[in-house]
Amino acid sequence: MSRTEMKALGWDACDVILVTGDAYIDHPSFGMALIGRMLEAQGFRVGIISQPDWKSAEPFRALGRPRLFFGITAGNMDSMVNRYTSDRKIRSDDAYTPGAEAGRRPDRAVTVYAQRAREAFPDANVVIGSIEASLRRIAHYDYWSDKVRRSVLPDSKADLLIFGNAERALVALARRLDAGEPIEAIRDLRGTAFMVKPGWLPGEEWGEIDSLTLDRPGRVEPHPDPYAMEPQQASMPATADGAQAVRIVPAAERVAARRAARGKMVVRLPAYETVSADPVMYAHASRIFHLESNPGNARALVQAHGEGPGRRDVWLNPPPIPLTTPEMDFVFGLPYARRPHPAYGDARIPAWDMIKFSINIMRGCFGGCTFCSITEHEGRIIQSRSEASILHEIEEIRDRTPDFKGHITDLGGPTANMYRLACKDKKIETSCRRLSCVYPGICENLNTDHAPLVSLYRKARAIPGVKRVTIGSGLRYDLAVRSPEYVKELVTHHVSGLLKIAPEHTEEGPLSKMMKPGIGTYEKFAAMFEKYSQEAGKKQHLVPYFIAAHPGTTDEDMVNLALWLKKQGFRPDQVQTFLPTPMAMATTMYHSRRNPLRKVSADSEIVETARAGKVRKLHKALLRWHDPENWPLIREALQQMGRADLIGNGPNCLVPRHQPGVPLPATGHTATSPARGAAKGAAGARQPGGRPAPAGSRSPQAGRAPVRSGPASTAKPARTGKRHA
């Protein structure tokens, strides 16, 4: 990180300099450490510039000019998501910064850092990556400026963009640059994007598919006819009467030829100027993009930026091939220091505090939730580490982390229970174009066996020195209910009082736009959770997540959700309003009011969404129906909706008729809030002794004890980038 450290290592220069918006923590959960150690293992000298002052180019000269390239990232989180709330308000802290200090990275950090690196050394190669670059690799709707922005490539002036998990591409790039190949000639790496002149193709055998008009997401390829007949090759003899001989072409041969031709085709997306002016065309482009996301069959994409002589095309190669288990083991088995860089002293870094005793066992997610950015970045194919690699990391934590007390806080990833789950047939997996393996139902070709995960849990907690292993990552409950053995194992041994779970909503309208299962599946899992908790003699709670103002959600949907929450006794405190992240399909719905899950046309399905500030505020208020501060807004909305029957103190009412502390009409008395325990089962009931009941708990007078959410102070999730809502 400094010239002093370079001198101690005997380096005159760095081969690669990585620039990050995060504090440098040498742990595999942090991208810069993982990439840095991987390049180091290939023999390259790697420097890291962490959270540089972007107001001038001087901090980018700290380690000199890199011999091969600058690698630019915003860090583990998108810089805009990191800095702003869903209401576009500036956050007061940053979990990835020493002391949680806010404001240590610029807005759109990838672009700013790349420009400063170019200013510092104009002749250096600049490569951008990480989740911020991945989600901005094509023209994308930007929530914070409320417009469609260009790909990050022309704005950053980078030579190359690497999207997704970049290990293979980075190693290949570094080796080829080291061998003297110019970066502008490296155009064949999967998972990379770059700028080209109009009409550029990789070779003469390549062709282009025009998808510039609605309802044409690429060429329609019919199933091959196994009885098709074609003329013989010229070298074969003709029949006696001079007729051309024919032969039956096997289906496998025709499919192979078709696939070979498909691999040499590029799909042209509507231009930036088109999608920025026409929301329907934006939705069309989004659909095409997501249909070309399976590494097994995805084609290259190209999108024009600019008009006239200044036009350039953004070319995207197909996504990277997922890492194998041995490759994953290699990456996670590198010699990480497993702690923040000594330059930070004793400063507390919240993100490090959260993950220091947790282990990432897999990557990717085949859930396909439309509001989530994981799929666009890590892909739908699960990449799992071996059991031996994971158990070894537990031993590393035990032996090398000074303040380890015996508690492993997570064996997880984007989803806790997708470890080693995959398509039953590799051929089916490589040809599939479904956007989710579990929606509208779990695919019959998906292996849902949780036995390897159960085995891992048992072996992990049996390691000497490990007192407890709990699961901190979110759970996919529609998969879990298929394995009662797994649920029992989890609930009996691996829940730390609270378990995170994300039904997101109760109503079919928003759930269909999220690609999430119905609330009935959640209730089935909740019953199993309660049953096994009681059998284990434990009092444990589910912490459910819900999203307000998601596309496809009406005011009535939110009222129904609020009524369900009250009936279940949930009083959520940590709630979230839908945040449109770049390139997500739900973001497309938010911007275009069209549904890209189906073919898009000028008269296709309209997706209504809460865009106005007051409506979004109402939807969030309905999630926190128990908070007296929200009651005036809810009352007003219920009256306008013709649902005044939900206003009152009865058991079927949502909010009381009168605000606490406000004099009642013609009496002079003051209304007493049900939150003070005056009404049985009312929102905000207090515990004996006058202390407020924990958020998510039931009124003590209600007399029922179903699965409940826990205290908000305990359940508050750190913003680690595992889940974007």
Side-chain angles (χ1 to χ4, degrees), residues 74-75 77-91 105-112 131-132 136 140-146 149 579-582 719 724:
M77 282 187 70
D78 182 283
S79 61
M80 302 301 286
V81 176
N82 178 278
R83 191 176 184 208
Y84 296 94
T85 70
S86 57
D87 296 324
R88 299 189 180 97
K89 296 179 180 178
I90 296 178
R91 300 186 192 273
R105 74 187 81 208
D107 291 353
R108 314 186 201 286
V110 164
T111 298
V112 175
I131 192 166
E132 179 166 313
R136 291 167 167 77
H140 55 278
Y141 173 74
D142 182 82
Y143 172 66
W144 299 273
S145 57
D146 193 23
R149 296 177 68 95
L579 173 58
T581 52
R719 299 193 308 277
H724 292 282

mmCIF file of all heavy atoms in Angstrom, residues 74-75 77-91 105-112 131-132 136 140-146 149 579-582 719 724:
data_model
loop_
_atom_site.group_PDB
_atom_site.id
_atom_site.type_symbol
_atom_site.label_atom_id
_atom_site.label_comp_id
_atom_site.label_asym_id
_atom_site.label_seq_id
_atom_site.Cartn_x
_atom_site.Cartn_y
_atom_site.Cartn_z
ATOM 1 N N ALA A 74 -15.065 0.252 -7.431
ATOM 2 C CA ALA A 74 -15.681 1.083 -6.391
ATOM 3 C C ALA A 74 -15.614 0.403 -5.037
ATOM 4 O O ALA A 74 -15.821 1.045 -4.006
ATOM 5 C CB ALA A 74 -17.139 1.374 -6.745
ATOM 6 N N GLY A 75 -15.339 -0.919 -5.025
ATOM 7 C CA GLY A 75 -15.328 -1.684 -3.785
ATOM 8 C C GLY A 75 -16.383 -2.765 -3.815
ATOM 9 O O GLY A 75 -16.951 -3.102 -4.862
ATOM 10 N N MET A 77 -19.335 -2.711 -2.759
ATOM 11 C CA MET A 77 -20.690 -2.216 -3.024
ATOM 12 C C MET A 77 -20.660 -1.166 -4.120
ATOM 13 O O MET A 77 -19.647 -0.484 -4.317
ATOM 14 C CB MET A 77 -21.297 -1.589 -1.761
ATOM 15 C CG MET A 77 -21.806 -2.578 -0.744
ATOM 16 S SD MET A 77 -22.667 -1.745 0.598
ATOM 17 C CE MET A 77 -24.149 -1.194 -0.254
ATOM 18 N N ASP A 78 -21.763 -1.052 -4.810
ATOM 19 C CA ASP A 78 -21.961 0.061 -5.727
ATOM 20 C C ASP A 78 -21.862 1.363 -4.929
ATOM 21 O O ASP A 78 -22.456 1.492 -3.856
ATOM 22 C CB ASP A 78 -23.342 -0.076 -6.366
ATOM 23 C CG ASP A 78 -23.626 1.005 -7.380
ATOM 24 O OD1 ASP A 78 -23.923 2.138 -6.966
ATOM 25 O OD2 ASP A 78 -23.568 0.701 -8.574
ATOM 26 N N SER A 79 -21.120 2.326 -5.428
ATOM 27 C CA SER A 79 -20.874 3.543 -4.654
ATOM 28 C C SER A 79 -22.145 4.342 -4.412
ATOM 29 O O SER A 79 -22.280 5.018 -3.379
ATOM 30 C CB SER A 79 -19.826 4.422 -5.355
ATOM 31 O OG SER A 79 -20.273 4.831 -6.640
ATOM 32 N N MET A 80 -23.112 4.281 -5.327
ATOM 33 C CA MET A 80 -24.351 5.032 -5.137
ATOM 34 C C MET A 80 -25.252 4.345 -4.109
ATOM 35 O O MET A 80 -25.878 5.010 -3.271
ATOM 36 C CB MET A 80 -25.080 5.187 -6.469
ATOM 37 C CG MET A 80 -24.267 5.885 -7.549
ATOM 38 S SD MET A 80 -23.750 7.554 -7.082
ATOM 39 C CE MET A 80 -25.295 8.438 -7.231
ATOM 40 N N VAL A 81 -25.327 3.020 -4.149
ATOM 41 C CA VAL A 81 -26.086 2.284 -3.137
ATOM 42 C C VAL A 81 -25.436 2.471 -1.769
ATOM 43 O O VAL A 81 -26.118 2.588 -0.750
ATOM 44 C CB VAL A 81 -26.164 0.793 -3.507
ATOM 45 C CG1 VAL A 81 -26.860 -0.005 -2.411
ATOM 46 C CG2 VAL A 81 -26.887 0.604 -4.833
ATOM 47 N N ASN A 82 -24.111 2.505 -1.761
ATOM 48 C CA ASN A 82 -23.380 2.667 -0.504
ATOM 49 C C ASN A 82 -23.648 4.019 0.138
ATOM 50 O O ASN A 82 -23.736 4.120 1.372
ATOM 51 C CB ASN A 82 -21.881 2.505 -0.771
ATOM 52 C CG ASN A 82 -21.037 2.705 0.455
ATOM 53 O OD1 ASN A 82 -20.736 3.839 0.838
ATOM 54 N ND2 ASN A 82 -20.629 1.618 1.082
ATOM 55 N N ARG A 83 -23.817 5.050 -0.675
ATOM 56 C CA ARG A 83 -23.897 6.403 -0.121
ATOM 57 C C ARG A 83 -25.320 6.906 0.078
ATOM 58 O O ARG A 83 -25.567 7.744 0.946
ATOM 59 C CB ARG A 83 -23.141 7.377 -1.028
ATOM 60 C CG ARG A 83 -22.967 8.739 -0.367
ATOM 61 C CD ARG A 83 -22.154 9.694 -1.186
ATOM 62 N NE ARG A 83 -21.946 10.937 -0.461
ATOM 63 C CZ ARG A 83 -21.763 12.116 -1.017
ATOM 64 N NH1 ARG A 83 -21.750 12.222 -2.337
ATOM 65 N NH2 ARG A 83 -21.578 13.200 -0.302
ATOM 66 N N TYR A 84 -26.280 6.418 -0.733
ATOM 67 C CA TYR A 84 -27.632 6.977 -0.699
ATOM 68 C C TYR A 84 -28.660 5.915 -0.305
ATOM 69 O O TYR A 84 -28.550 4.753 -0.685
ATOM 70 C CB TYR A 84 -28.009 7.545 -2.074
ATOM 71 C CG TYR A 84 -27.152 8.706 -2.501
ATOM 72 C CD1 TYR A 84 -26.022 8.499 -3.287
ATOM 73 C CD2 TYR A 84 -27.455 10.004 -2.106
ATOM 74 C CE1 TYR A 84 -25.222 9.564 -3.687
ATOM 75 C CE2 TYR A 84 -26.662 11.074 -2.504
ATOM 76 C CZ TYR A 84 -25.544 10.848 -3.284
ATOM 77 O OH TYR A 84 -24.753 11.900 -3.672
ATOM 78 N N THR A 85 -29.683 6.353 0.422
ATOM 79 C CA THR A 85 -30.803 5.482 0.766
ATOM 80 C C THR A 85 -31.760 5.388 -0.413
ATOM 81 O O THR A 85 -31.595 6.071 -1.439
ATOM 82 C CB THR A 85 -31.561 6.031 1.986
ATOM 83 O OG1 THR A 85 -32.258 7.236 1.601
ATOM 84 C CG2 THR A 85 -30.613 6.345 3.142
ATOM 85 N N SER A 86 -32.809 4.569 -0.264
ATOM 86 C CA SER A 86 -33.806 4.442 -1.326
ATOM 87 C C SER A 86 -34.611 5.724 -1.507
ATOM 88 O O SER A 86 -35.287 5.895 -2.526
ATOM 89 C CB SER A 86 -34.751 3.280 -1.022
ATOM 90 O OG SER A 86 -35.374 3.467 0.231
ATOM 91 N N ASP A 87 -34.528 6.642 -0.545
ATOM 92 C CA ASP A 87 -35.177 7.951 -0.669
ATOM 93 C C ASP A 87 -34.217 9.021 -1.178
ATOM 94 O O ASP A 87 -34.517 10.212 -1.104
ATOM 95 C CB ASP A 87 -35.749 8.381 0.690
ATOM 96 C CG ASP A 87 -36.842 7.443 1.168
ATOM 97 O OD1 ASP A 87 -37.609 6.956 0.319
ATOM 98 O OD2 ASP A 87 -36.925 7.179 2.380
ATOM 99 N N ARG A 88 -33.046 8.578 -1.658
ATOM 100 C CA ARG A 88 -31.994 9.451 -2.190
ATOM 101 C C ARG A 88 -31.391 10.369 -1.116
ATOM 102 O O ARG A 88 -30.850 11.428 -1.438
ATOM 103 C CB ARG A 88 -32.508 10.297 -3.370
ATOM 104 C CG ARG A 88 -32.993 9.500 -4.576
ATOM 105 C CD ARG A 88 -33.258 10.427 -5.759
ATOM 106 N NE ARG A 88 -33.717 9.727 -6.934
ATOM 107 C CZ ARG A 88 -34.975 9.594 -7.303
ATOM 108 N NH1 ARG A 88 -35.929 10.116 -6.536
ATOM 109 N NH2 ARG A 88 -35.318 8.962 -8.390
ATOM 110 N N LYS A 89 -31.486 9.968 0.129
ATOM 111 C CA LYS A 89 -30.860 10.725 1.206
ATOM 112 C C LYS A 89 -29.470 10.163 1.483
ATOM 113 O O LYS A 89 -29.242 8.962 1.361
ATOM 114 C CB LYS A 89 -31.716 10.655 2.472
ATOM 115 C CG LYS A 89 -33.082 11.318 2.318
ATOM 116 C CD LYS A 89 -33.895 11.201 3.594
ATOM 117 C CE LYS A 89 -35.266 11.870 3.434
ATOM 118 N NZ LYS A 89 -36.102 11.721 4.663
ATOM 119 N N ILE A 90 -28.549 11.029 1.855
ATOM 120 C CA ILE A 90 -27.173 10.602 2.091
ATOM 121 C C ILE A 90 -27.093 9.814 3.397
ATOM 122 O O ILE A 90 -27.604 10.241 4.428
ATOM 123 C CB ILE A 90 -26.224 11.817 2.131
ATOM 124 C CG1 ILE A 90 -26.205 12.503 0.762
ATOM 125 C CG2 ILE A 90 -24.814 11.390 2.532
ATOM 126 C CD1 ILE A 90 -25.342 13.743 0.707
ATOM 127 N N ARG A 91 -26.446 8.665 3.336
ATOM 128 C CA ARG A 91 -26.264 7.854 4.537
ATOM 129 C C ARG A 91 -25.254 8.520 5.466
ATOM 130 O O ARG A 91 -24.349 9.227 5.009
ATOM 131 C CB ARG A 91 -25.787 6.446 4.173
ATOM 132 C CG ARG A 91 -26.742 5.674 3.288
ATOM 133 C CD ARG A 91 -26.250 4.247 3.108
ATOM 134 N NE ARG A 91 -26.971 3.539 2.053
ATOM 135 C CZ ARG A 91 -28.102 2.879 2.233
ATOM 136 N NH1 ARG A 91 -28.659 2.842 3.431
ATOM 137 N NH2 ARG A 91 -28.687 2.256 1.221
ATOM 138 N N ARG A 105 -15.558 8.070 -0.432
ATOM 139 C CA ARG A 105 -15.491 7.669 -1.844
ATOM 140 C C ARG A 105 -16.415 8.586 -2.633
ATOM 141 O O ARG A 105 -17.418 9.068 -2.107
ATOM 142 C CB ARG A 105 -15.863 6.195 -2.016
ATOM 143 C CG ARG A 105 -17.325 5.904 -1.874
ATOM 144 C CD ARG A 105 -17.585 4.411 -1.881
ATOM 145 N NE ARG A 105 -17.331 3.816 -0.574
ATOM 146 C CZ ARG A 105 -16.948 2.565 -0.375
ATOM 147 N NH1 ARG A 105 -16.761 1.782 -1.404
ATOM 148 N NH2 ARG A 105 -16.749 2.097 0.821
ATOM 149 N N PRO A 106 -16.123 8.817 -3.901
ATOM 150 C CA PRO A 106 -16.974 9.715 -4.697
ATOM 151 C C PRO A 106 -18.202 8.983 -5.221
ATOM 152 O O PRO A 106 -18.258 7.753 -5.254
ATOM 153 C CB PRO A 106 -16.055 10.118 -5.852
ATOM 154 C CG PRO A 106 -15.168 8.924 -6.040
ATOM 155 C CD PRO A 106 -14.944 8.352 -4.668
ATOM 156 N N ASP A 107 -19.200 9.754 -5.635
ATOM 157 C CA ASP A 107 -20.298 9.169 -6.392
ATOM 158 C C ASP A 107 -19.742 8.618 -7.701
ATOM 159 O O ASP A 107 -18.815 9.168 -8.292
ATOM 160 C CB ASP A 107 -21.359 10.222 -6.708
ATOM 161 C CG ASP A 107 -22.105 10.683 -5.464
ATOM 162 O OD1 ASP A 107 -21.881 10.091 -4.386
ATOM 163 O OD2 ASP A 107 -22.907 11.629 -5.580
ATOM 164 N N ARG A 108 -20.300 7.503 -8.161
ATOM 165 C CA ARG A 108 -19.859 6.848 -9.402
ATOM 166 C C ARG A 108 -18.339 6.681 -9.369
ATOM 167 O O ARG A 108 -17.606 7.129 -10.265
ATOM 168 C CB ARG A 108 -20.317 7.632 -10.619
ATOM 169 C CG ARG A 108 -21.778 8.056 -10.508
ATOM 170 C CD ARG A 108 -22.308 8.714 -11.759
ATOM 171 N NE ARG A 108 -23.482 9.503 -11.430
ATOM 172 C CZ ARG A 108 -24.683 9.008 -11.147
ATOM 173 N NH1 ARG A 108 -24.861 7.716 -11.171
ATOM 174 N NH2 ARG A 108 -25.689 9.800 -10.838
ATOM 175 N N ALA A 109 -17.894 5.980 -8.342
ATOM 176 C CA ALA A 109 -16.465 5.915 -8.033
ATOM 177 C C ALA A 109 -15.642 5.304 -9.161
ATOM 178 O O ALA A 109 -14.504 5.736 -9.398
ATOM 179 C CB ALA A 109 -16.260 5.128 -6.734
ATOM 180 N N VAL A 110 -16.173 4.297 -9.862
ATOM 181 C CA VAL A 110 -15.405 3.668 -10.932
ATOM 182 C C VAL A 110 -15.018 4.697 -11.987
ATOM 183 O O VAL A 110 -13.861 4.762 -12.427
ATOM 184 C CB VAL A 110 -16.206 2.511 -11.563
ATOM 185 C CG1 VAL A 110 -15.620 2.107 -12.912
ATOM 186 C CG2 VAL A 110 -16.216 1.303 -10.641
ATOM 187 N N THR A 111 -15.969 5.513 -12.393
ATOM 188 C CA THR A 111 -15.692 6.527 -13.414
ATOM 189 C C THR A 111 -14.674 7.546 -12.923
ATOM 190 O O THR A 111 -13.712 7.879 -13.632
ATOM 191 C CB THR A 111 -16.998 7.234 -13.814
ATOM 192 O OG1 THR A 111 -17.897 6.281 -14.386
ATOM 193 C CG2 THR A 111 -16.736 8.340 -14.819
ATOM 194 N N VAL A 112 -14.853 8.032 -11.706
ATOM 195 C CA VAL A 112 -13.953 9.061 -11.168
ATOM 196 C C VAL A 112 -12.548 8.508 -10.987
ATOM 197 O O VAL A 112 -11.557 9.135 -11.399
ATOM 198 C CB VAL A 112 -14.500 9.603 -9.839
ATOM 199 C CG1 VAL A 112 -13.517 10.591 -9.215
ATOM 200 C CG2 VAL A 112 -15.860 10.263 -10.042
ATOM 201 N N ILE A 131 -18.746 -4.864 -8.891
ATOM 202 C CA ILE A 131 -20.192 -4.851 -9.107
ATOM 203 C C ILE A 131 -20.661 -3.542 -9.735
ATOM 204 O O ILE A 131 -21.572 -3.528 -10.558
ATOM 205 C CB ILE A 131 -20.941 -5.134 -7.784
ATOM 206 C CG1 ILE A 131 -22.424 -5.404 -8.066
ATOM 207 C CG2 ILE A 131 -20.744 -4.021 -6.762
ATOM 208 C CD1 ILE A 131 -23.163 -6.005 -6.903
ATOM 209 N N GLU A 132 -20.024 -2.422 -9.408
ATOM 210 C CA GLU A 132 -20.462 -1.151 -9.988
ATOM 211 C C GLU A 132 -20.266 -1.144 -11.496
ATOM 212 O O GLU A 132 -21.148 -0.716 -12.244
ATOM 213 C CB GLU A 132 -19.714 0.018 -9.350
ATOM 214 C CG GLU A 132 -20.116 1.356 -9.932
ATOM 215 C CD GLU A 132 -19.645 2.541 -9.107
ATOM 216 O OE1 GLU A 132 -19.832 2.504 -7.878
ATOM 217 O OE2 GLU A 132 -19.104 3.502 -9.690
ATOM 218 N N ARG A 136 -23.224 -1.573 -14.859
ATOM 219 C CA ARG A 136 -23.282 -0.422 -15.761
ATOM 220 C C ARG A 136 -22.583 -0.707 -17.084
ATOM 221 O O ARG A 136 -22.126 0.216 -17.753
ATOM 222 C CB ARG A 136 -22.662 0.806 -15.080
ATOM 223 C CG ARG A 136 -23.490 1.330 -13.913
ATOM 224 C CD ARG A 136 -22.706 2.336 -13.068
ATOM 225 N NE ARG A 136 -23.562 3.058 -12.153
ATOM 226 C CZ ARG A 136 -24.050 2.585 -11.013
ATOM 227 N NH1 ARG A 136 -23.727 1.356 -10.630
ATOM 228 N NH2 ARG A 136 -24.837 3.311 -10.239
ATOM 229 N N HIS A 140 -28.043 2.056 -19.057
ATOM 230 C CA HIS A 140 -28.809 1.609 -17.899
ATOM 231 C C HIS A 140 -29.571 2.767 -17.271
ATOM 232 O O HIS A 140 -29.123 3.915 -17.308
ATOM 233 C CB HIS A 140 -27.852 1.022 -16.847
ATOM 234 C CG HIS A 140 -26.771 1.983 -16.460
ATOM 235 N ND1 HIS A 140 -25.619 2.167 -17.215
ATOM 236 C CD2 HIS A 140 -26.652 2.849 -15.408
ATOM 237 C CE1 HIS A 140 -24.865 3.088 -16.651
ATOM 238 N NE2 HIS A 140 -25.461 3.526 -15.560
ATOM 239 N N TYR A 141 -30.724 2.438 -16.687
ATOM 240 C CA TYR A 141 -31.475 3.463 -15.960
ATOM 241 C C TYR A 141 -30.774 3.745 -14.647
ATOM 242 O O TYR A 141 -30.432 2.834 -13.889
ATOM 243 C CB TYR A 141 -32.910 3.012 -15.698
ATOM 244 C CG TYR A 141 -33.658 3.978 -14.792
ATOM 245 C CD1 TYR A 141 -34.081 5.206 -15.273
ATOM 246 C CD2 TYR A 141 -33.889 3.673 -13.453
ATOM 247 C CE1 TYR A 141 -34.744 6.103 -14.442
ATOM 248 C CE2 TYR A 141 -34.549 4.563 -12.621
ATOM 249 C CZ TYR A 141 -34.972 5.783 -13.121
ATOM 250 O OH TYR A 141 -35.610 6.678 -12.298
ATOM 251 N N ASP A 142 -30.581 5.041 -14.362
ATOM 252 C CA ASP A 142 -29.911 5.480 -13.143
ATOM 253 C C ASP A 142 -30.932 6.172 -12.249
ATOM 254 O O ASP A 142 -31.434 7.253 -12.587
ATOM 255 C CB ASP A 142 -28.764 6.437 -13.497
ATOM 256 C CG ASP A 142 -27.997 6.881 -12.265
ATOM 257 O OD1 ASP A 142 -27.131 6.136 -11.811
ATOM 258 O OD2 ASP A 142 -28.287 7.988 -11.760
ATOM 259 N N TYR A 143 -31.241 5.542 -11.125
ATOM 260 C CA TYR A 143 -32.278 6.033 -10.222
ATOM 261 C C TYR A 143 -31.929 7.398 -9.637
ATOM 262 O O TYR A 143 -32.802 8.244 -9.450
ATOM 263 C CB TYR A 143 -32.465 5.007 -9.103
ATOM 264 C CG TYR A 143 -33.359 5.436 -7.968
ATOM 265 C CD1 TYR A 143 -34.720 5.666 -8.163
ATOM 266 C CD2 TYR A 143 -32.845 5.612 -6.679
ATOM 267 C CE1 TYR A 143 -35.543 6.045 -7.111
ATOM 268 C CE2 TYR A 143 -33.657 5.984 -5.625
ATOM 269 C CZ TYR A 143 -35.003 6.203 -5.843
ATOM 270 O OH TYR A 143 -35.814 6.580 -4.795
ATOM 271 N N TRP A 144 -30.656 7.621 -9.375
ATOM 272 C CA TRP A 144 -30.254 8.829 -8.665
ATOM 273 C C TRP A 144 -30.341 10.077 -9.537
ATOM 274 O O TRP A 144 -30.576 11.160 -9.044
ATOM 275 C CB TRP A 144 -28.842 8.635 -8.113
ATOM 276 C CG TRP A 144 -28.827 7.485 -7.153
ATOM 277 C CD1 TRP A 144 -29.105 7.519 -5.813
ATOM 278 C CD2 TRP A 144 -28.602 6.112 -7.464
ATOM 279 N NE1 TRP A 144 -29.048 6.248 -5.281
ATOM 280 C CE2 TRP A 144 -28.740 5.363 -6.263
ATOM 281 C CE3 TRP A 144 -28.291 5.418 -8.633
ATOM 282 C CZ2 TRP A 144 -28.571 3.991 -6.194
ATOM 283 C CZ3 TRP A 144 -28.128 4.036 -8.569
ATOM 284 C CH2 TRP A 144 -28.265 3.342 -7.362
ATOM 285 N N SER A 145 -30.168 9.936 -10.830
ATOM 286 C CA SER A 145 -30.352 11.069 -11.741
ATOM 287 C C SER A 145 -31.663 10.961 -12.516
ATOM 288 O O SER A 145 -31.995 11.862 -13.285
ATOM 289 C CB SER A 145 -29.177 11.152 -12.724
ATOM 290 O OG SER A 145 -29.032 9.944 -13.448
ATOM 291 N N ASP A 146 -32.389 9.849 -12.323
ATOM 292 C CA ASP A 146 -33.684 9.604 -12.960
ATOM 293 C C ASP A 146 -33.589 9.731 -14.480
ATOM 294 O O ASP A 146 -34.399 10.402 -15.126
ATOM 295 C CB ASP A 146 -34.750 10.553 -12.403
ATOM 296 C CG ASP A 146 -36.165 10.120 -12.802
ATOM 297 O OD1 ASP A 146 -36.344 8.929 -13.108
ATOM 298 O OD2 ASP A 146 -37.071 10.982 -12.816
ATOM 299 N N ARG A 149 -28.455 6.371 -18.452
ATOM 300 C CA ARG A 149 -27.074 6.810 -18.657
ATOM 301 C C ARG A 149 -26.357 5.856 -19.607
ATOM 302 O O ARG A 149 -26.747 4.708 -19.796
ATOM 303 C CB ARG A 149 -26.322 6.867 -17.321
ATOM 304 C CG ARG A 149 -26.882 7.889 -16.348
ATOM 305 C CD ARG A 149 -26.136 7.847 -15.032
ATOM 306 N NE ARG A 149 -24.766 8.316 -15.172
ATOM 307 C CZ ARG A 149 -24.382 9.568 -14.925
ATOM 308 N NH1 ARG A 149 -25.258 10.471 -14.512
ATOM 309 N NH2 ARG A 149 -23.122 9.929 -15.066
ATOM 310 N N LEU A 579 -35.326 -0.078 -4.015
ATOM 311 C CA LEU A 579 -34.259 0.759 -4.555
ATOM 312 C C LEU A 579 -33.896 0.248 -5.944
ATOM 313 O O LEU A 579 -33.366 -0.862 -6.072
ATOM 314 C CB LEU A 579 -33.036 0.719 -3.633
ATOM 315 C CG LEU A 579 -31.761 1.405 -4.133
ATOM 316 C CD1 LEU A 579 -32.016 2.874 -4.425
ATOM 317 C CD2 LEU A 579 -30.637 1.239 -3.120
ATOM 318 N N PRO A 580 -34.169 0.991 -6.999
ATOM 319 C CA PRO A 580 -33.861 0.524 -8.356
ATOM 320 C C PRO A 580 -32.361 0.555 -8.633
ATOM 321 O O PRO A 580 -31.768 1.628 -8.812
ATOM 322 C CB PRO A 580 -34.605 1.524 -9.259
ATOM 323 C CG PRO A 580 -35.577 2.230 -8.351
ATOM 324 C CD PRO A 580 -34.909 2.264 -7.005
ATOM 325 N N THR A 581 -31.735 -0.606 -8.634
ATOM 326 C CA THR A 581 -30.306 -0.689 -8.937
ATOM 327 C C THR A 581 -30.118 -0.887 -10.436
ATOM 328 O O THR A 581 -30.973 -1.480 -11.103
ATOM 329 C CB THR A 581 -29.653 -1.847 -8.175
ATOM 330 O OG1 THR A 581 -30.393 -3.053 -8.421
ATOM 331 C CG2 THR A 581 -29.652 -1.571 -6.683
ATOM 332 N N PRO A 582 -29.014 -0.420 -10.997
ATOM 333 C CA PRO A 582 -28.827 -0.487 -12.449
ATOM 334 C C PRO A 582 -28.959 -1.904 -12.992
ATOM 335 O O PRO A 582 -28.471 -2.857 -12.408
ATOM 336 C CB PRO A 582 -27.398 0.048 -12.633
ATOM 337 C CG PRO A 582 -27.155 0.898 -11.438
ATOM 338 C CD PRO A 582 -27.899 0.237 -10.311
ATOM 339 N N ARG A 719 -24.651 -3.537 5.681
ATOM 340 C CA ARG A 719 -24.726 -3.448 4.225
ATOM 341 C C ARG A 719 -23.459 -4.047 3.643
ATOM 342 O O ARG A 719 -22.477 -3.356 3.388
ATOM 343 C CB ARG A 719 -24.893 -1.999 3.790
ATOM 344 C CG ARG A 719 -26.147 -1.344 4.295
ATOM 345 C CD ARG A 719 -26.384 -0.037 3.575
ATOM 346 N NE ARG A 719 -25.228 0.845 3.586
ATOM 347 C CZ ARG A 719 -24.932 1.650 4.596
ATOM 348 N NH1 ARG A 719 -25.676 1.673 5.671
ATOM 349 N NH2 ARG A 719 -23.879 2.435 4.526
ATOM 350 N N HIS A 724 -29.087 -6.991 -2.239
ATOM 351 C CA HIS A 724 -29.545 -5.656 -2.636
ATOM 352 C C HIS A 724 -31.045 -5.710 -2.805
ATOM 353 O O HIS A 724 -31.562 -6.544 -3.536
ATOM 354 C CB HIS A 724 -28.905 -5.222 -3.951
ATOM 355 C CG HIS A 724 -27.443 -4.973 -3.822
ATOM 356 N ND1 HIS A 724 -26.926 -3.843 -3.281
ATOM 357 C CD2 HIS A 724 -26.379 -5.750 -4.129
ATOM 358 C CE1 HIS A 724 -25.616 -3.903 -3.296
ATOM 359 N NE2 HIS A 724 -25.261 -5.050 -3.798
#
